Amino acid sequence: MLATVMNAIFLQAMLKSIDIPTRVQTAFRMSEVAEPYMPRRAVRHLVKGRVSIFAAGTGNLFFTTDTAAALHCAENVLKATNADGVYDGDPRHNASAFLHDTLTYHETTSKDLSGLDMTAKKITFPLSSSI
């Protein structure tokens, strides 16, 4: 989870360098580097045109950072990753891996696609975007 905070701070610095206002919010108090996650505050940042970056998971055991992103974003998930989408296999090891343009919940579960963990898939349907 600490690595997600470091990545969030780096992403915030990169967005700030191109004049995009951002806030990093975390599940754990880290007042020197981020705000604690509070739903109303996250919405207020969006209303004011700021990008909210969520880090450090949910603060609960057995839930991944994907779950936190899905919970906090609810409809629009921007997941920074080293993949450019959801494939039916690992494109680094399988040159014929197929990149899905769109997916339904049923397709992600029946095809056992692993772009997001299963808990996050149950919360949100849109595909995540890469940066």
Side-chain angles (χ1 to χ4, degrees), residues 80-112:
T81 183
N82 63 357
D84 59 352
V86 178
Y87 288 84
D88 63 355
D90 188 341
R92 293 174 292 185
H93 302 290
N94 179 1
S96 62
F98 175 75
L99 172 63
H100 293 273
D101 291 329
T102 60
L103 287 170
T104 65
Y105 171 74
H106 178 71
E107 288 172 322
T108 59
T109 55
S110 66
K111 295 178 181 178
D112 194 29

Side-chain angles (χ1 to χ4, degrees), residues 1 27-28 55-69 71-72:
M1 284 191 273
F28 300 101
T58 64
N60 299 304
L61 294 174
F62 310 116
F63 291 94
T64 69
T65 54
D66 289 346
T67 303
L71 284 168
H72 298 331

Side-chain angles (χ1 to χ4, degrees), residues 6-82:
M6 293 170 17
N7 289 338
I9 293 167
F10 177 73
L11 178 59
Q12 180 183 38
M14 295 304 297
L15 292 172
K16 186 177 179 181
S17 74
I18 57 173
D19 297 323
I20 297 175
T22 62
R23 298 294 186 270
V24 174
Q25 295 183 307
T26 60
F28 300 101
R29 292 200 181 275
M30 300 179 186
S31 58
E32 298 298 322
V33 296
E35 301 176 359
Y37 171 72
M38 289 185 246
R40 283 185 178 185
R41 186 176 286 177
V43 170
R44 182 174 174 158
H45 290 318
L46 291 174
V47 168
K48 291 190 170 246
R50 301 177 190 131
V51 172
S52 288
I53 303 168
F54 306 113
T58 64
N60 299 304
L61 294 174
F62 310 116
F63 291 94
T64 69
T65 54
D66 289 346
T67 303
L71 284 168
H72 298 331
C73 296
E75 291 181 359
N76 299 302
V77 176
L78 173 64
K79 180 184 174 200
T81 183
N82 63 357

